[in-house]
Amino acid sequence: MTDSENNGSNQSRRSFLRSGLLASSGMLALATSLKPLLDLEPGDLGNIDSFIQKHYCEMSESDIEKALARIADDVEKRYQLRPDIRDLKPLDGVEFVYALNLSRCIGCRKCVHACVAENNQSRSPEIQYIRVLEMPHGTLDIEKSNHHYNRASVPADSHYYMPVQCHQCKNAPCVKVCPIQATWQQDDGVTVIDYDWCIGCRYCQAACPYWARRFNFTEPGLTKKDVNPNMNYLSNRPRKKGVIEKCHFCLQRTRAGKLPACQEVCPTGARKFGNVLDEHSNVSQILRTKRVFVLKEDVNTLPRFFYYFDERYPRKQASSETSKDGGSA
Amino acid sequence: MARNRDNIDISPVIVLVFVACTTWFIADPQDERIPYASVANVSKEDISTAPIRTRLSDPPMVHLGGYDRDCNDCHRIFKSLDKTPNRAFQHVDIKLNHGRNSRCFNCHAKADRNRLTIYGEMTVSYDQSEQLCAKCHGTTFKDWNRGIHGRTMGSWQPHAAGNTRLKCVECHNPHSPAYLRMKPLPSPHTLRMGEPSIAHATEDSPLTQWILSDTEGAH
């Protein structure tokens, strides 16, 4: 009896120590698991306004004014410059369409980088909306493409180049899968994202057959000198960690009547952008006179992004003047 | 015996697990494994929207022999030979590589060197050089006129004020018109683009490079 009593008190002391050790090491583990919180800067959690903000479509004029002012303040705090941020609405009687002439494109990637400069993407890690695929002549098999080509000069012999970006599909899978309608199509045919509403589930990224969506896995690496102050709510305002983004036909430019950055920088004039509802626009004429096709027609996404070849294809070997070696890799 | 088994004490194991977790969180070994790309080196000039060639204005001024002069300043004096255009002293850098279009006077007006020739006596000024190209490249010119060939800058509205359409000679050298090759800007340096062809990824792919560097223990 005494034995067992002794045992009992021993055990209770021991079990007390034991559970104490358990609890304190558990607390320690819990505390260190919260370590990332130490890295938070005062402004990181955003303010309460952005937290309780409504979905873009449910915001009133004054709500939007308020949101724009908040974003402008945020940007100023983060990048020490006052952005010119607006909320441009779709224009009446306008539906944007892109057309790309594959017999002109030489794969120089100027569009890729002009896009990055225009749209405030993260520079490191790199986020780019346009991907230029290099493909051997005579195939349209994307599995055979390479977007990491690094050559002394382009175009390489017997290859052609196919830039791919968001196709602004009429029947957009990304819009359908979004569980919270953070991405939707507007009247001018552009699929937009409310970055404040996106929860980062990346369903849309998985659903897109053109790999057009990009996810901010980390806090975007954008520095003050790279910020483009001409911003629009649904397009190129700075994003944050954990949201999806993609090409939006440069809404901050196109809804103000200008051309997308990728179009204006293209040195070959392969890129064409315009309003299909206007029968005199270049894109309408291309759709009428050229043999256009869309990528992955079989998935029935009805893209607003068309590719075409001119009659002369394949191109004659380009001038050998700047191409001692074709940079064959 | 049975009692003993009931009493097997797992708390040291739990404590160990907790301590292991703590060290893991503190050491944070995952942090450096994210393959961040360095920022691509792209200058403002790389993405400038300026045309790749500058064209001549009207009248065409050239810098020859240390002076700026228009063509007629010399050609008023030098009379051209009637048959084969000769170029022993001037314009020797010009090499025609324009298919069968191999005569200077297919394009340059013989009598007035400040103008381009269309047909017979008909000439156009240098700032309308597309009319010259049009006489041989009708279909391309038609496309250009509709905004399909070449590039328009300014607005997507077809006839908006302030639109500029690049001239043929701002992209093509009239003497050697094939479009020149150029050096491509840096390739993407990210894994987060939903690799379309990992199986076919080349050595340039950051994924390949990362895997290689990892297996060599360089990381």
Side-chain angles (χ1 to χ4, degrees):
Chain A
M1 225 25 192
T2 46
D3 214 39
S4 75
E5 257 174 15
N6 249 351
N7 224 346
S9 71
N10 250 351
Q11 209 145 37
S12 69
R13 190 186 307 124
R14 220 191 276 159
S15 71
F16 170 75
L17 286 175
R18 208 174 270 154
S19 49
L21 195 61
L22 251 177
S24 53
S25 62
M27 293 294 280
L28 201 64
L30 185 70
T32 44
S33 74
L34 297 178
K35 195 184 93 186
L37 289 182
L38 289 178
D39 302 335
L40 279 185
E41 308 263 310
D44 273 1
L45 285 179
N47 58 19
I48 190 81
D49 292 341
S50 75
F51 224 74
I52 59 172
Q53 183 176 309
K54 289 195 207 132
H55 185 280
Y56 173 85
C57 294
E58 286 167 5
M59 280 201 267
S60 67
E61 290 280 302
S62 67
D63 286 345
I64 287 179
E65 287 298 309
K66 248 189 275 166
L68 292 180
R70 170 181 62 75
I71 294 163
D73 289 345
D74 271 4
V75 171
E76 191 166 9
K77 211 159 63 195
R78 250 159 75 192
Y79 304 110
Q80 296 85 47
L81 101 186
R82 191 83 191 162
D84 174 20
I85 177 163
R86 289 173 293 174
D87 175 41
L88 296 165
K89 306 283 185 214
L91 304 167
D92 278 342
V94 172
E95 184 176 341
F96 289 131
V97 152
Y98 218 113
L100 203 152
N101 189 340
L102 293 176
S103 36
R104 297 279 168 262
C105 178
I106 57 171
C108 66
R109 293 208 188 91
K110 283 191 193 294
C111 50
V112 175
H113 292 278
C115 168
V116 170
E118 173 69 28
N119 288 312
N120 293 322
Q121 282 107 319
S122 167
R123 304 303 203 276
S124 172
E126 227 168 43
I127 289 191
Q128 300 175 343
Y129 294 166
I130 304 174
R131 181 208 312 264
V132 185
L133 305 178
E134 180 180 73
M135 291 202 261
H137 270 161
T139 170
L140 243 175
D141 184 0
I142 289 165
E143 294 298 319
K144 294 215 173 73
S145 71
N146 170 19
H147 67 257
H148 292 294
Y149 62 89
N150 248 333
R151 297 176 183 279
S153 69
V154 287
D157 289 343
S158 48
H159 282 82
Y160 74 103
Y161 298 84
M162 183 174 207
V164 181
Q165 65 207 72
C166 175
H167 282 13
Q168 316 292 357
C169 308
K170 195 171 190 123
N171 188 12
C174 54
V175 170
K176 285 190 223 160
V177 297
C178 181
I180 49 162
Q181 286 152 37
T183 184
W184 70 98
Q185 213 173 113
Q186 294 198 306
D187 289 344
D188 54 5
V190 178
T191 297
V192 294
I193 302 164
D194 185 345
Y195 307 117
D196 289 330
W197 207 252
C198 174
I199 54 170
C201 69
R202 292 156 56 209
Y203 283 12
C204 54
Q205 195 176 25
C208 177
Y210 307 107
W211 323 283
R213 288 180 171 248
R214 311 280 181 263
F215 187 67
N216 286 284
F217 280 96
T218 65
E219 203 54 55
L222 180 67
T223 52
K224 181 189 170 189
K225 73 173 182 9
D226 293 327
V227 174
N228 171 14
N230 175 23
M231 293 178 190
N232 181 43
Y233 189 91
L234 291 173
S235 61
N236 69 336
R237 68 177 159 121
R239 277 75 62 184
K240 51 186 188 290
K241 181 175 174 175
V243 302
I244 212 90
E245 55 181 287
K246 67 165 185 74
C247 160
H248 39 68
F249 282 177
C250 281
L251 289 183
Q252 69 281 7
R253 298 168 62 99
T254 50
R255 281 187 185 163
K258 295 205 281 176
L259 285 158
C262 53
Q263 195 275 354
E264 283 218 323
V265 81
C266 178
T268 66
R271 291 174 164 269
K272 300 291 162 202
F273 179 84
N275 175 13
V276 260
L277 303 184
D278 171 3
E279 60 169 332
H280 301 296
S281 70
N282 52 3
V283 285
S284 306
Q285 306 204 46
I286 288 168
L287 294 185
R288 272 202 306 277
T289 61
K290 304 280 177 183
R291 272 166 288 170
V292 298
F293 69 97
V294 296
L295 194 56
K296 299 196 181 179
E297 188 181 7
D298 42 335
V299 291
N300 197 29
T301 47
L302 309 179
R304 289 190 178 83
F305 198 103
F306 298 89
Y307 296 97
Y308 63 104
F309 288 103
D310 266 342
E311 291 73 22
R312 200 180 72 144
Y313 170 78
R315 63 157 60 84
K316 278 168 57 176
Q317 294 304 0
S319 154
S320 53
E321 236 164 88
T322 52
S323 57
K324 295 287 173 299
D325 86 69
S328 47
Chain B
M1 268 294 144
R3 221 179 131 217
N4 243 350
R5 212 185 293 141
D6 282 346
N7 274 355
I8 283 179
D9 191 359
I10 55 158
S11 53
V13 181
I14 299 181
V15 170
L16 262 179
V17 168
F18 280 149
V19 170
C21 285
T22 310
T23 13
W24 170 270
F25 287 135
I26 288 176
D28 206 0
Q30 259 190 324
D31 219 23
E32 60 204 272
R33 299 198 52 189
I34 301 171
Y36 269 25
S38 53
V39 180
N41 239 339
V42 177
S43 69
K44 284 249 168 356
E45 292 81 64
D46 287 337
I47 51 169
S48 132
T49 56
I52 63 169
R53 290 187 83 243
T54 45
R55 64 184 174 88
L56 296 178
S57 54
D58 179 48
M61 304 296 287
V62 283
H63 193 77
L64 276 180
Y67 296 94
D68 282 329
R69 33 190 148 199
D70 68 42
C71 314
N72 280 346
D73 283 346
C74 290
H75 283 278
R76 215 175 276 125
I77 306 162
F78 303 111
K79 286 288 167 260
S80 299
L81 296 179
D82 263 352
K83 284 194 186 134
T84 347
N86 77 81
R87 281 176 295 137
F89 316 107
Q90 281 302 339
H91 318 313
V92 281
D93 52 327
I94 291 175
K95 303 231 166 15
L96 279 188
N97 180 16
H98 199 144
R100 292 198 303 176
N101 178 16
S102 57
R103 290 278 175 270
C104 310
F105 295 137
N106 284 351
C107 300
H108 292 283
K110 200 168 177 185
D112 180 356
R113 216 50 68 86
N114 280 359
R115 293 178 74 81
L116 296 163
T117 181
I118 300 290
Y119 180 75
E121 298 291 290
M122 205 172 132
T123 59
V124 290
S125 63
Y126 274 74
D127 54 12
Q128 289 179 314
S129 56
E130 69 273 9
Q131 300 295 340
L132 165 73
C133 316
K135 76 176 177 180
C136 299
H137 297 294
T139 42
T140 314
F141 175 75
K142 222 161 87 190
D143 273 356
W144 179 84
N145 233 353
R146 294 184 298 191
I148 300 180
H149 190 88
R151 184 174 70 179
T152 306
M153 289 153 71
S155 170
W156 47 265
Q157 273 142 344
H159 301 293
N163 275 7
T164 49
R165 182 158 298 166
L166 296 192
K167 304 256 185 201
C168 320
V169 292
E170 285 176 291
C171 291
H172 300 287
N173 179 342
H175 303 135
S176 175
Y179 202 80
L180 295 184
R181 301 193 192 211
M182 54 174 88
K183 187 170 168 35
L185 294 186
S187 53
H189 215 296
T190 170
L191 306 178
R192 311 296 195 197
M193 289 173 84
E195 202 79 23
S197 55
I198 287 179
H200 304 273
T202 58
E203 283 165 23
D204 306 331
S205 151
L207 182 63
T208 324
Q209 283 177 359
W210 181 51
I211 293 169
L212 286 178
S213 70
D214 228 28
T215 47
E216 284 158 14
H219 215 49

